[in-house]
Amino acid sequence: AGTLNTAGTLSVGASACMVSRATAFVGTDTALTHVAAALGVPTIALFGPSNPVKWGPWPRNHPPESDPWHRYGSQHVGNVTLLQGVASCVPCGLEGCDRDVSSYSDCLLQLSPKKVIAALEASTVNQHVPENTAYITNCPIGCAGPLAATAIVLPEGPLMRCSSCGQITSQASEA
């Protein structure tokens, strides 16, 4: 399947709408990670230099009178799994190891894809797409061009982009 880069093409509201329908969300300490957590989407939040006590995404329905996060370590609360880098400086509060927003954070680079995938699989273990779902293969918007799968998967199936007109759809039909 291909990928769909929506960077700079969706409004904040449209991004939130897309995330609300996701099976799961993986992201760093960004606004969209907080939106996914607040909407109840299973969220894998990747933390390095940011202090989760101050900046961690709030799990859906977590009581406001108690902070869900500890300062150190990977944690799971409600619909959010917070994976934190293991460097001795974490959380340093800096914008990268070179104290520059364009520099890398070693603590984030040390988070292995294997650990992130394991957390993602654990967060979606009870979710499934009904077996009788069949996905449309031609653009429903009007041009009838062929649809190409993207890397964004919603509970009812992948988002699809029309190869002819560029429209995006997530429509599925009952088989």
Side-chain angles (χ1 to χ4, degrees):
T3 60
L4 175 64
N5 181 352
T6 61
T9 64
L10 298 177
S11 67
V12 172
S15 295
C17 181
M18 181 176 69
V19 168
S20 75
R21 300 178 63 206
T23 301
F25 181 89
V26 178
T28 56
D29 182 20
T30 63
L32 211 47
T33 301
H34 292 265
V35 168
L39 291 171
V41 174
T43 301
I44 310 302
L46 309 177
F47 267 60
S50 299
N51 179 348
V53 173
K54 188 172 184 177
W55 302 110
W58 207 266
R60 185 177 177 103
N61 298 326
H62 189 78
E65 59 276 354
S66 69
D67 195 309
W69 308 116
H70 302 288
R71 185 172 168 87
Y72 304 106
S74 294
Q75 308 157 60
H76 177 84
V77 178
N79 61 300
V80 180
T81 299
L82 189 143
L83 297 179
Q84 189 176 47
V86 294
S88 61
C89 55
V90 170
C92 66
L94 302 175
E95 293 181 332
C97 292
D98 294 335
R99 295 187 168 136
D100 183 283
V101 72
S102 64
S103 68
Y104 293 105
S105 295
D106 290 341
C107 51
L108 285 173
L109 294 174
Q110 292 170 5
L111 280 174
S112 73
K114 186 175 180 179
K115 186 173 184 176
V116 175
I117 291 168
L120 182 59
E121 288 173 345
S123 75
T124 59
V125 72
N126 293 322
Q127 296 181 11
H128 68 281
V129 176
E131 291 180 22
N132 65 341
T133 301
Y135 304 106
I136 57 175
T137 57
N138 287 52
C139 182
I141 310 298
C143 80
L147 294 176
T150 70
I152 300 171
V153 180
L154 305 175
E156 63 272 18
L159 281 179
M160 308 291 275
R161 179 180 284 250
C162 177
S163 299
S164 298
C165 71
Q167 291 293 323
I168 298 170
T169 184
S170 63
Q171 295 181 7
S173 60
E174 293 297 315

